[in-house]
Short mmCIF file of all heavy atoms in Angstrom, two decimals:
data_model
loop_
_atom_site.label_atom_id
_atom_site.label_comp_id
_atom_site.label_asym_id
_atom_site.label_seq_id
_atom_site.Cartn_x
_atom_site.Cartn_y
_atom_site.Cartn_z
N ASP G 355 -18.95 -24.92 -42.59
CA ASP G 355 -17.59 -24.38 -42.70
C ASP G 355 -17.46 -23.04 -42.01
O ASP G 355 -18.38 -22.25 -41.95
CB ASP G 355 -17.25 -24.14 -44.18
CG ASP G 355 -17.33 -25.40 -45.02
OD1 ASP G 355 -16.40 -26.19 -44.85
OD2 ASP G 355 -18.28 -25.55 -45.82
N ARG G 356 -16.20 -22.75 -41.61
CA ARG G 356 -15.85 -21.35 -41.34
C ARG G 356 -15.29 -20.92 -42.72
O ARG G 356 -14.51 -21.63 -43.36
CB ARG G 356 -14.74 -21.28 -40.35
CG ARG G 356 -15.14 -21.73 -38.94
CD ARG G 356 -14.05 -21.46 -37.95
NE ARG G 356 -13.81 -20.09 -37.79
CZ ARG G 356 -12.60 -19.48 -37.72
NH1 ARG G 356 -11.48 -20.21 -37.79
NH2 ARG G 356 -12.42 -18.21 -37.58
N SER G 357 -15.67 -19.72 -43.12
CA SER G 357 -15.24 -19.19 -44.43
C SER G 357 -13.72 -19.20 -44.57
O SER G 357 -13.11 -19.44 -45.64
CB SER G 357 -15.85 -17.86 -44.75
OG SER G 357 -15.60 -16.92 -43.76
N SER G 358 -13.06 -18.86 -43.46
CA SER G 358 -11.59 -18.75 -43.48
C SER G 358 -10.98 -20.13 -43.76
O SER G 358 -9.94 -20.20 -44.44
CB SER G 358 -11.10 -18.22 -42.12
OG SER G 358 -11.70 -18.90 -41.07
N MET G 359 -11.53 -21.20 -43.25
CA MET G 359 -10.99 -22.50 -43.54
C MET G 359 -11.39 -22.95 -44.98
O MET G 359 -10.52 -23.51 -45.73
CB MET G 359 -11.64 -23.55 -42.58
CG MET G 359 -11.33 -23.26 -41.08
SD MET G 359 -9.96 -24.27 -40.47
CE MET G 359 -10.61 -25.92 -40.70
N ALA G 360 -12.65 -22.72 -45.34
CA ALA G 360 -13.11 -23.12 -46.68
C ALA G 360 -12.26 -22.45 -47.75
O ALA G 360 -11.89 -23.02 -48.80
CB ALA G 360 -14.57 -22.73 -46.84
N SER G 361 -11.92 -21.17 -47.52
CA SER G 361 -11.13 -20.47 -48.52
C SER G 361 -9.69 -21.05 -48.66
O SER G 361 -9.06 -20.79 -49.63
CB SER G 361 -11.10 -18.98 -48.27
OG SER G 361 -10.55 -18.71 -47.03
N ARG G 362 -9.28 -21.81 -47.65
CA ARG G 362 -7.95 -22.50 -47.76
C ARG G 362 -8.15 -23.90 -48.33
O ARG G 362 -7.17 -24.70 -48.37
CB ARG G 362 -7.30 -22.60 -46.32
CG ARG G 362 -6.81 -21.27 -45.77
CD ARG G 362 -6.56 -21.45 -44.26
NE ARG G 362 -5.62 -22.52 -43.93
CZ ARG G 362 -5.54 -23.06 -42.74
NH1 ARG G 362 -6.39 -22.69 -41.76
NH2 ARG G 362 -4.73 -24.00 -42.50
N GLY G 363 -9.32 -24.29 -48.66
CA GLY G 363 -9.58 -25.56 -49.23
C GLY G 363 -9.87 -26.71 -48.21
O GLY G 363 -9.75 -27.88 -48.53
N ILE G 364 -10.20 -26.38 -46.98
CA ILE G 364 -10.57 -27.30 -45.94
C ILE G 364 -12.07 -27.22 -45.74
O ILE G 364 -12.59 -26.21 -45.25
CB ILE G 364 -9.84 -27.05 -44.60
CG1 ILE G 364 -8.34 -26.82 -44.81
CG2 ILE G 364 -10.13 -28.12 -43.59
CD1 ILE G 364 -7.64 -27.94 -45.41
N ALA G 365 -12.76 -28.30 -46.14
CA ALA G 365 -14.24 -28.27 -46.13
C ALA G 365 -14.80 -29.16 -45.04
O ALA G 365 -14.24 -30.23 -44.76
CB ALA G 365 -14.76 -28.68 -47.51
N VAL G 366 -15.89 -28.71 -44.45
CA VAL G 366 -16.61 -29.61 -43.52
C VAL G 366 -17.50 -30.52 -44.34
O VAL G 366 -18.20 -30.05 -45.26
CB VAL G 366 -17.54 -28.73 -42.57
CG1 VAL G 366 -18.46 -29.62 -41.79
CG2 VAL G 366 -16.65 -27.87 -41.68
N THR G 367 -17.47 -31.80 -44.03
CA THR G 367 -18.39 -32.77 -44.69
C THR G 367 -19.25 -33.38 -43.51
O THR G 367 -18.99 -33.07 -42.39
CB THR G 367 -17.63 -33.77 -45.52
OG1 THR G 367 -16.48 -34.29 -44.76
CG2 THR G 367 -17.10 -33.16 -46.79
N GLY G 368 -20.19 -34.26 -43.88
CA GLY G 368 -21.01 -34.73 -42.76
C GLY G 368 -21.76 -33.56 -42.19
O GLY G 368 -22.22 -32.69 -42.92
N GLY G 369 -21.89 -33.53 -40.89
CA GLY G 369 -22.35 -32.30 -40.26
C GLY G 369 -23.76 -32.26 -39.73
O GLY G 369 -24.22 -31.17 -39.29
N VAL G 370 -24.47 -33.37 -39.79
CA VAL G 370 -25.84 -33.36 -39.23
C VAL G 370 -25.81 -33.91 -37.81
O VAL G 370 -25.44 -35.07 -37.54
CB VAL G 370 -26.78 -34.25 -40.10
CG1 VAL G 370 -28.18 -34.29 -39.45
CG2 VAL G 370 -26.88 -33.64 -41.50
N ILE G 371 -26.06 -33.06 -36.83
CA ILE G 371 -26.09 -33.44 -35.44
C ILE G 371 -27.57 -33.52 -34.99
O ILE G 371 -28.23 -32.48 -34.91
CB ILE G 371 -25.35 -32.40 -34.51
CG1 ILE G 371 -24.01 -32.08 -35.10
CG2 ILE G 371 -25.27 -32.96 -33.16
CD1 ILE G 371 -22.98 -33.24 -35.21
N ASP G 372 -28.02 -34.74 -34.75
CA ASP G 372 -29.45 -34.92 -34.39
C ASP G 372 -29.72 -34.35 -33.01
O ASP G 372 -28.83 -34.35 -32.12
CB ASP G 372 -29.77 -36.43 -34.44
CG ASP G 372 -29.57 -36.98 -35.84
OD1 ASP G 372 -30.35 -36.61 -36.73
OD2 ASP G 372 -28.68 -37.81 -36.08
N ALA G 373 -30.97 -33.93 -32.79
CA ALA G 373 -31.33 -33.25 -31.54
C ALA G 373 -31.09 -34.14 -30.38
O ALA G 373 -30.79 -33.70 -29.27
CB ALA G 373 -32.77 -32.77 -31.58
N GLY G 374 -31.26 -35.49 -30.54
CA GLY G 374 -31.12 -36.41 -29.45
C GLY G 374 -29.73 -36.96 -29.25
O GLY G 374 -29.49 -37.76 -28.34
N TYR G 375 -28.76 -36.51 -30.07
CA TYR G 375 -27.41 -37.07 -29.97
C TYR G 375 -26.69 -36.52 -28.75
O TYR G 375 -26.57 -35.31 -28.54
CB TYR G 375 -26.65 -36.67 -31.23
CG TYR G 375 -25.21 -37.23 -31.26
CD1 TYR G 375 -24.95 -38.60 -31.38
CD2 TYR G 375 -24.09 -36.36 -31.18
CE1 TYR G 375 -23.69 -39.09 -31.39
CE2 TYR G 375 -22.82 -36.83 -31.26
CZ TYR G 375 -22.58 -38.19 -31.30
OH TYR G 375 -21.31 -38.69 -31.37
N ARG G 376 -26.17 -37.41 -27.89
CA ARG G 376 -25.49 -36.96 -26.70
C ARG G 376 -24.07 -37.45 -26.63
O ARG G 376 -23.39 -37.34 -25.64
CB ARG G 376 -26.23 -37.51 -25.40
CG ARG G 376 -27.68 -37.01 -25.32
CD ARG G 376 -27.66 -35.55 -24.90
NE ARG G 376 -29.06 -35.09 -24.81
CZ ARG G 376 -29.68 -34.39 -25.76
NH1 ARG G 376 -29.04 -34.07 -26.89
NH2 ARG G 376 -30.96 -34.05 -25.61
N GLY G 377 -23.57 -37.99 -27.74
CA GLY G 377 -22.18 -38.40 -27.87
C GLY G 377 -21.30 -37.22 -28.21
O GLY G 377 -21.73 -36.06 -28.29
N GLU G 378 -20.01 -37.48 -28.32
CA GLU G 378 -19.06 -36.46 -28.61
C GLU G 378 -19.27 -35.96 -30.05
O GLU G 378 -19.44 -36.72 -31.01
CB GLU G 378 -17.60 -37.02 -28.57
CG GLU G 378 -16.56 -35.95 -28.90
CD GLU G 378 -15.14 -36.43 -28.81
OE1 GLU G 378 -14.93 -37.69 -28.83
OE2 GLU G 378 -14.21 -35.61 -28.83
N ILE G 379 -19.31 -34.66 -30.17
CA ILE G 379 -19.39 -34.06 -31.54
C ILE G 379 -18.07 -34.26 -32.16
O ILE G 379 -17.01 -33.90 -31.59
CB ILE G 379 -19.71 -32.54 -31.46
CG1 ILE G 379 -20.90 -32.22 -30.59
CG2 ILE G 379 -19.74 -31.89 -32.83
CD1 ILE G 379 -22.22 -32.35 -31.31
N GLN G 380 -18.10 -34.78 -33.37
CA GLN G 380 -16.82 -34.91 -34.12
C GLN G 380 -17.02 -34.18 -35.44
O GLN G 380 -18.09 -34.14 -36.01
CB GLN G 380 -16.50 -36.36 -34.34
CG GLN G 380 -16.36 -37.07 -32.99
CD GLN G 380 -15.67 -38.42 -33.08
OE1 GLN G 380 -14.75 -38.61 -33.87
NE2 GLN G 380 -16.19 -39.39 -32.41
N ILE G 381 -15.97 -33.58 -35.86
CA ILE G 381 -15.99 -32.73 -37.11
C ILE G 381 -15.30 -33.45 -38.21
O ILE G 381 -14.12 -33.79 -38.10
CB ILE G 381 -15.31 -31.34 -36.86
CG1 ILE G 381 -15.95 -30.67 -35.57
CG2 ILE G 381 -15.48 -30.49 -38.05
CD1 ILE G 381 -17.41 -30.50 -35.63
N LEU G 382 -16.05 -33.66 -39.27
CA LEU G 382 -15.45 -34.30 -40.48
C LEU G 382 -14.93 -33.27 -41.35
O LEU G 382 -15.68 -32.36 -41.79
CB LEU G 382 -16.57 -35.12 -41.19
CG LEU G 382 -17.19 -36.27 -40.36
CD1 LEU G 382 -18.38 -36.87 -41.05
CD2 LEU G 382 -16.13 -37.30 -40.01
N LEU G 383 -13.63 -33.28 -41.59
CA LEU G 383 -13.01 -32.28 -42.47
C LEU G 383 -12.36 -32.96 -43.68
O LEU G 383 -11.82 -34.07 -43.53
CB LEU G 383 -11.91 -31.55 -41.65
CG LEU G 383 -12.33 -30.70 -40.51
CD1 LEU G 383 -11.16 -30.07 -39.82
CD2 LEU G 383 -13.29 -29.57 -41.03
N THR G 384 -12.47 -32.33 -44.81
CA THR G 384 -11.81 -32.87 -46.02
C THR G 384 -10.85 -31.82 -46.55
O THR G 384 -11.30 -30.70 -46.74
CB THR G 384 -12.87 -33.26 -47.07
OG1 THR G 384 -13.76 -34.26 -46.49
CG2 THR G 384 -12.27 -33.84 -48.32
N ASN G 385 -9.64 -32.29 -46.79
CA ASN G 385 -8.69 -31.38 -47.42
C ASN G 385 -8.78 -31.52 -48.92
O ASN G 385 -8.46 -32.58 -49.51
CB ASN G 385 -7.28 -31.85 -46.89
CG ASN G 385 -6.16 -30.98 -47.44
OD1 ASN G 385 -6.41 -30.09 -48.29
ND2 ASN G 385 -4.93 -31.26 -47.02
N LEU G 386 -9.33 -30.48 -49.53
CA LEU G 386 -9.47 -30.47 -50.98
C LEU G 386 -8.26 -30.15 -51.73
O LEU G 386 -8.24 -30.08 -52.98
CB LEU G 386 -10.61 -29.48 -51.32
CG LEU G 386 -11.98 -29.77 -50.68
CD1 LEU G 386 -12.91 -28.64 -50.94
CD2 LEU G 386 -12.55 -31.08 -51.11
N THR G 387 -7.18 -29.84 -51.03
CA THR G 387 -5.93 -29.33 -51.73
C THR G 387 -4.94 -30.51 -51.95
O THR G 387 -5.18 -31.59 -51.44
CB THR G 387 -5.28 -28.23 -50.92
OG1 THR G 387 -4.56 -28.85 -49.81
CG2 THR G 387 -6.23 -27.20 -50.38
N ASP G 388 -3.89 -30.21 -52.61
CA ASP G 388 -2.82 -31.18 -52.90
C ASP G 388 -1.76 -31.16 -51.85
O ASP G 388 -0.73 -31.82 -51.99
CB ASP G 388 -2.24 -30.97 -54.28
CG ASP G 388 -3.31 -31.33 -55.38
OD1 ASP G 388 -4.15 -32.27 -55.20
OD2 ASP G 388 -3.38 -30.56 -56.39
N GLU G 389 -1.90 -30.33 -50.83
CA GLU G 389 -0.89 -30.19 -49.74
C GLU G 389 -1.47 -30.69 -48.46
O GLU G 389 -2.66 -30.41 -48.16
CB GLU G 389 -0.47 -28.76 -49.58
CG GLU G 389 -0.09 -27.99 -50.87
CD GLU G 389 1.32 -28.46 -51.36
OE1 GLU G 389 2.15 -28.87 -50.51
OE2 GLU G 389 1.54 -28.41 -52.57
N ALA G 390 -0.61 -31.30 -47.65
CA ALA G 390 -1.06 -31.68 -46.26
C ALA G 390 -1.19 -30.35 -45.45
O ALA G 390 -0.49 -29.39 -45.68
CB ALA G 390 -0.05 -32.56 -45.63
N VAL G 391 -2.15 -30.34 -44.55
CA VAL G 391 -2.38 -29.15 -43.71
C VAL G 391 -2.41 -29.66 -42.24
O VAL G 391 -3.07 -30.67 -41.96
CB VAL G 391 -3.74 -28.53 -44.07
CG1 VAL G 391 -4.14 -27.43 -43.05
CG2 VAL G 391 -3.77 -27.97 -45.47
N ARG G 392 -1.77 -28.89 -41.37
CA ARG G 392 -1.79 -29.26 -39.92
C ARG G 392 -2.70 -28.33 -39.18
O ARG G 392 -2.66 -27.13 -39.36
CB ARG G 392 -0.38 -29.20 -39.38
CG ARG G 392 -0.31 -29.68 -37.98
CD ARG G 392 1.10 -29.81 -37.45
NE ARG G 392 1.04 -30.17 -36.04
CZ ARG G 392 0.83 -31.42 -35.61
NH1 ARG G 392 0.64 -32.42 -36.50
NH2 ARG G 392 0.81 -31.68 -34.33
N LEU G 393 -3.60 -28.95 -38.43
CA LEU G 393 -4.48 -28.20 -37.49
C LEU G 393 -4.04 -28.42 -36.06
O LEU G 393 -3.65 -29.56 -35.72
CB LEU G 393 -5.91 -28.60 -37.69
CG LEU G 393 -6.56 -28.43 -39.06
CD1 LEU G 393 -7.98 -28.99 -39.10
CD2 LEU G 393 -6.55 -26.96 -39.48
N ASN G 394 -4.08 -27.41 -35.24
CA ASN G 394 -3.58 -27.50 -33.87
C ASN G 394 -4.72 -27.63 -32.89
O ASN G 394 -5.83 -27.12 -33.14
CB ASN G 394 -2.73 -26.33 -33.52
CG ASN G 394 -1.46 -26.27 -34.34
OD1 ASN G 394 -0.78 -27.25 -34.52
ND2 ASN G 394 -1.22 -25.12 -34.97
N ALA G 395 -4.48 -28.31 -31.82
CA ALA G 395 -5.49 -28.36 -30.65
C ALA G 395 -5.82 -26.91 -30.32
O ALA G 395 -4.95 -26.06 -30.21
CB ALA G 395 -4.87 -29.06 -29.49
N GLY G 396 -7.14 -26.68 -30.17
CA GLY G 396 -7.59 -25.34 -29.83
C GLY G 396 -7.94 -24.45 -31.03
O GLY G 396 -8.53 -23.40 -30.84
N ASP G 397 -7.61 -24.97 -32.23
CA ASP G 397 -7.99 -24.20 -33.39
C ASP G 397 -9.54 -24.16 -33.53
O ASP G 397 -10.21 -25.18 -33.26
CB ASP G 397 -7.44 -24.82 -34.64
CG ASP G 397 -5.95 -24.45 -34.88
OD1 ASP G 397 -5.41 -23.69 -34.04
OD2 ASP G 397 -5.40 -24.97 -35.87
N LYS G 398 -10.03 -23.04 -33.96
CA LYS G 398 -11.48 -22.93 -34.29
C LYS G 398 -11.67 -23.59 -35.67
O LYS G 398 -11.19 -23.03 -36.62
CB LYS G 398 -11.82 -21.42 -34.30
CG LYS G 398 -13.20 -21.06 -34.02
CD LYS G 398 -13.39 -19.54 -34.20
CE LYS G 398 -13.25 -18.77 -32.93
NZ LYS G 398 -13.63 -17.36 -33.12
N ILE G 399 -12.44 -24.69 -35.72
CA ILE G 399 -12.44 -25.43 -36.94
C ILE G 399 -13.73 -25.47 -37.73
O ILE G 399 -13.81 -25.82 -38.91
CB ILE G 399 -11.98 -26.89 -36.73
CG1 ILE G 399 -12.78 -27.54 -35.65
CG2 ILE G 399 -10.51 -26.99 -36.46
CD1 ILE G 399 -12.55 -29.06 -35.52
N ALA G 400 -14.85 -25.06 -37.10
CA ALA G 400 -16.14 -25.15 -37.76
C ALA G 400 -17.19 -24.34 -36.94
O ALA G 400 -16.82 -23.83 -35.87
CB ALA G 400 -16.58 -26.58 -37.91
N GLN G 401 -18.33 -24.30 -37.44
CA GLN G 401 -19.43 -23.61 -36.63
C GLN G 401 -20.67 -24.51 -36.66
O GLN G 401 -20.92 -25.24 -37.64
CB GLN G 401 -19.71 -22.22 -37.13
CG GLN G 401 -20.05 -22.14 -38.60
CD GLN G 401 -20.24 -20.70 -39.04
OE1 GLN G 401 -20.86 -19.91 -38.34
NE2 GLN G 401 -19.71 -20.36 -40.19
N MET G 402 -21.49 -24.51 -35.61
CA MET G 402 -22.67 -25.26 -35.52
C MET G 402 -23.88 -24.34 -35.51
O MET G 402 -23.97 -23.51 -34.62
CB MET G 402 -22.72 -26.09 -34.23
CG MET G 402 -21.64 -27.14 -34.12
SD MET G 402 -21.95 -28.23 -32.74
CE MET G 402 -21.95 -27.15 -31.33
#
Side-chain angles (χ1 to χ4, degrees):
D355 298 287
R356 294 185 66 221
S357 54
S358 49
M359 300 260 300
S361 61
R362 288 166 55 203
I364 310 299
V366 170
T367 45
V370 177
I371 311 296
D372 298 293
Y375 181 68
R376 297 289 177 262
E378 181 181 14
I379 305 279
Q380 300 196 40
I381 307 303
L382 300 171
L383 293 177
T384 300
N385 181 355
L386 302 173
T387 76
D388 292 323
E389 307 288 332
V391 172
R392 185 170 177 79
L393 299 176
N394 296 312
D397 281 358
K398 204 185 266 189
I399 51 171
Q401 54 184 319
M402 295 191 303

